Amino acid sequence: MKDTRIRKLMLGATGSLALTGMFIGACGGDDDTPKSTPAVQTQAATTAPGGAASPTGGAAATLATDSGAANLRALLTAQLQEHVYLAGTATGAALGGRAEEFAAAGKSLDANSVDLSKSIESVYGADAGKAFLDLWRKHIGFFVDYTTGKATNDTAKVEKARTDLDGYRADFGAFIASANPNLPKQAVADELKPHVETLFAAIDAQAAKDPAAFDKLRAAAAHMPHTAETLAGGIAKQFPDKFKGNVSGPGSALRSGLTAQLQEHVFLAGTATGAALGGRNDEFMAAAKALDANSVDLSKSIESVYGADAGKAFLDLWRKHIGFFVDYTTGKATKDDAKVEKARKDLDGYRADFGAFIASANPNLPKQAVADELTPHVATLFAAIDAQAAKDPTAFDKLRLAASHMPHTANTLAGGITKQFPQKFGS
């Protein structure tokens, strides 16, 4: 792996597999169900109203970004987006014939399913949580069938999976409507249609070895925040005393949007480093381009609040920190300990630079508080890359842990922005 090649690609300035049996072995059954990673616990801790870990605070910020309704929307955004990225990673590994990676991704995907079921359980009770989990696992199985059909050129299996997933949409709509009259059966079924179709498109691209596969996976993930808003809105309407606040207000939308963008950053970065360390250069190139598109989207979010100059400055700084992760990955790949240590020091310095940049724009986000907020991001992504380099099957669990910190960062930033601009985001 050439250092210059990795940097250029990642910064990007502007056969058959017995899938079903393996997947059920990795994901299904109570005995084989892996324990959840700390993802949900981390999110739950950071979404508690008025959390002491946030440097923002203030009545307006609490109302808009730390309300029960905003907490719920952000949590579902994170969990549903994670579902898409882990599913896409599993199908990509399966179609690429990487059985061990597929099994590891499948276990992490099932841990995400368990976390989603716990969110349902927290609102509707244990029986509803179990029913949700059974139904959710069933729809994942249909995507497995679709992937199997693509891998084996079995058109009949592909079409049956399409039919099964169409029926699943109706079943899921009925399940949700039975628990919540604010979420009608057909409306929920219609909400799932883009999820199914966009994930089909991503799997089709993976099967065809189309470099646009990551763009299509991003499109599939991009629908999840809307689904989260829909579900959170219906739940908040049903239980207004428990989920106070405005699910669809600008403060809640800001937090949810940053949650999705920052978490996507981690998943795409982890996918890119995994491909690079695995010697899959075409996949690495495509993932790196998708990662840079995410960086551009983040810069546009900053621009929408602070203007074009701030957006450009953010993008330059954000790309710089990705470059340091490139250096770290290169050092791991080439067993260059000096390069690894330099990357560690560079990222430590980056935290201070980023803290200064944010503080210069927003006095509610002090330099040191922002720098400290980035410490877990750097440390957990290092751990995920280390596991990838060691071919450790817990690499996906570590990547989930890295991603799980992003909702906290999003809440911190959204709270500071809301406090600075209460008339724009304070509802």
Side-chain angles (χ1 to χ4, degrees):
M1 184 186 306
K2 300 290 187 180
D3 181 17
T4 55
R5 176 174 173 76
I6 291 178
R7 179 172 288 278
K8 179 180 179 182
L9 292 178
M10 200 158 179
L11 294 182
T14 141
S16 91
L17 185 63
L19 301 182
T20 303
M22 287 178 56
F23 196 90
I24 296 302
C27 300
D30 292 339
D31 291 341
D32 292 329
T33 300
K35 294 180 180 179
S36 297
T37 68
V40 157
Q41 288 86 341
T42 300
Q43 290 164 5
T46 59
T47 53
S54 172
T56 55
T62 299
L63 175 65
T65 62
D66 278 342
S67 68
N71 290 346
L72 180 63
R73 179 179 175 179
L75 178 62
L76 291 176
T77 294
Q79 290 178 335
L80 290 169
Q81 185 197 56
E82 181 179 70
H83 161 70
V84 170
Y85 273 110
L86 290 173
T89 299
T91 57
L95 289 164
R98 302 187 300 277
E100 291 182 0
E101 181 182 332
F102 169 69
K107 287 181 179 179
S108 289
L109 175 60
D110 195 64
N112 165 265
S113 298
V114 171
D115 287 347
L116 273 163
S117 75
K118 288 180 178 177
S119 293
I120 296 298
E121 180 180 333
S122 70
V123 179
Y124 295 107
D127 289 345
K130 183 180 183 305
F132 170 90
L133 183 58
D134 292 343
L135 197 55
W136 195 253
R137 282 174 169 161
K138 188 176 181 180
H139 106 285
I140 292 174
F142 294 145
F143 278 117
V144 171
D145 294 340
Y146 186 86
T147 306
T148 304
K150 284 290 176 176
T152 58
N153 295 314
D154 187 339
T155 303
K157 196 173 190 70
V158 168
E159 290 307 311
K160 184 176 186 302
R162 283 187 174 276
T163 300
D164 288 341
L165 275 160
D166 199 51
Y168 161 79
R169 291 192 302 107
D171 292 344
F172 189 79
F175 168 76
I176 294 296
S178 70
N180 191 327
N182 302 303
L183 295 166
K185 173 182 174 180
Q186 192 58 49
V188 174
D190 290 344
E191 175 63 30
L192 287 180
K193 192 169 186 178
H195 170 51
V196 172
E197 291 301 326
T198 55
L199 198 47
F200 277 160
I203 295 169
D204 290 349
Q206 289 172 336
K209 302 188 186 307
D210 183 346
F214 285 103
D215 294 332
K216 294 185 187 304
L217 189 59
R218 285 191 78 215
H223 182 69
M224 291 297 94
H226 185 274
T227 302
E229 181 185 5
T230 299
L231 294 175
I235 293 169
K237 188 174 181 180
Q238 187 178 22
F239 302 107
D241 290 339
K242 185 174 183 179
F243 299 102
K244 295 179 180 179
N246 186 353
V247 164
S248 298
S252 179
L254 175 66
R255 179 179 169 187
S256 176
L258 289 174
T259 295
Q261 289 177 336
L262 290 169
Q263 183 171 265
E264 182 177 72
H265 161 71
V266 171
F267 279 119
L268 289 174
T271 301
T273 57
L277 289 164
R280 303 187 300 276
N281 287 336
D282 289 345
E283 181 183 333
F284 167 66
M285 181 186 303
K289 287 181 179 178
L291 175 61
D292 194 64
N294 165 264
S295 298
V296 171
D297 286 348
L298 273 164
S299 74
K300 288 180 179 177
S301 294
I302 296 298
E303 179 179 333
S304 70
V305 178
Y306 296 108
D309 289 345
K312 182 181 183 304
F314 171 90
L315 183 58
D316 291 343
L317 196 56
W318 195 253
R319 282 174 169 161
K320 186 176 182 182
H321 106 285
I322 291 174
F324 295 145
F325 279 117
V326 171
D327 295 338
Y328 187 87
T329 305
T330 304
K332 283 289 176 177
T334 59
K335 302 187 186 305
D336 186 338
D337 292 340
K339 195 173 192 69
V340 167
E341 288 309 309
K342 184 175 186 302
R344 285 185 178 277
K345 290 180 181 178
D346 287 341
L347 275 159
D348 198 52
Y350 161 79
R351 291 191 304 104
D353 292 344
F354 189 78
F357 168 77
I358 294 296
S360 70
N362 190 327
N364 301 301
L365 294 166
K367 173 182 174 179
Q368 192 58 49
V370 174
D372 290 345
E373 175 64 30
L374 289 180
T375 298
H377 169 51
V378 173
T380 54
L381 198 47
F382 277 161
I385 295 169
D386 290 349
Q388 290 172 335
K391 302 187 186 307
D392 183 342
T394 67
F396 286 105
D397 293 333
K398 289 179 168 56
L399 188 60
R400 282 192 80 214
L401 183 59
S404 77
H405 182 69
M406 292 297 95
H408 184 280
T409 301
N411 191 25
T412 297
L413 294 175
I417 292 170
T418 298
K419 189 174 181 181
Q420 187 177 22
F421 302 107
Q423 292 184 334
K424 185 174 183 179
F425 298 105
S427 62

